Structure formats: C-alpha cells, structure tokens
Amino acid sequence: QVQLVESGGGSVQAGGSLRLSCEVSGYPYSSYCMGWFRQAPGNGREGVATIHSDGTTDYSESVKGRFAISKDNAKNTLYLQMDSLKPEDTAMYYCAAFSRYMTAFQALRSLEEVKDWGKGTQVTVSS
C-alpha cells in the first residue's frame, strides 16, 4: 500500500521560501515519475513539478526558476523547494506518484495518470 505524507506547508509573506517534503512508503515503481500538484480554492488541480527516476525534471511555467523538485532515494523522500513565493502560489500542495512509464514532461500534464495522492499540505502566501 502506497503512502505519501506531505509536510512543510505554512504561511509566509511574498518573497519568502518554504520547502515541502513528501515521505514515501510502499511505492514499488522506483523507475517512474513522482511530482507535486496544487489546487487553489475554486480552481482545478494543476501540475507544479515532476521528476523522473533518471533525474529529469519539468516545471509549470508559473513556477519555473523559482521552485526546485528533488528526491532523496535513501530517505524515500520527495522535496519541493519554493523560493520567491507569490500570493498566487497559495494552494493545497499534493504529492503524487505515477504507475506507468512517462517522461517528466508528460507526467506534469497527465493529472489523470496519477495513481496515488497524499492528503496535501497548505501553502499560504500573503502580500
């Protein structure tokens, strides 16, 4: 049974930073992608960043240059470093795991292919 447990969310002022973590257990697909998605009130869930097992990454245009996704295989943990935060980054952030092969580019745009979700961690950015 796959378990994804996010942490690290909180409230910050615009320009601040946060690092999200996702502890992963029971995930057998080490060669596939994982990623971060977010959902703001009244909006649909959208891809933020994805990472393939080979280390390739992709980012949404709105966060490119400000966010960085990484993973520590030894700790079974996925990270999202978020810098220069903006009020429009306010959302619930979810860790996601895929169960079939695709590139990081494809995974970022394939919400329907996510097999497992965490419960989310709230990020609030004030102006």
Side-chain angles (χ1 to χ4, degrees), residues 4 7 23 25 27 29-30 58 78 82 85 88 117 120-121:
L4 307 174
S7 62
E23 294 187 21
S25 60
Y27 183 56
Y29 308 114
S30 60
D58 200 14
L78 182 73
M82 305 186 295
L85 282 161
E88 50 264 43
W117 294 100
T121 186

Side-chain angles (χ1 to χ4, degrees), residues 93-122:
Y93 284 70
Y94 298 92
C95 181
F98 293 81
S99 61
R100 71 173 184 90
Y101 180 84
M102 61 181 70
T103 65
F105 176 90
Q106 293 169 326
L108 186 67
R109 296 156 181 81
S110 300
L111 179 70
E112 71 283 0
E113 295 287 350
V114 173
K115 181 180 183 298
D116 298 285
W117 294 100
K119 292 184 178 180
T121 186
Q122 177 68 38

Side-chain angles (χ1 to χ4, degrees), residues 19 36 49 59 63 65-70 79-83:
R19 188 175 82 154
W36 291 94
Y59 298 90
V63 308
R66 300 187 297 121
F67 290 11
I69 188 171
S70 62
Y79 301 101
L80 184 68
Q81 178 66 42
M82 305 186 295
D83 297 322

Side-chain angles (χ1 to χ4, degrees), residues 37-58:
F37 290 72
R38 69 185 181 186
Q39 187 167 13
N43 291 353
R45 199 167 292 191
E46 63 176 1
V48 175
T50 49
I51 185 166
H52 192 273
S53 59
D54 64 6
T56 56
T57 59
D58 200 14

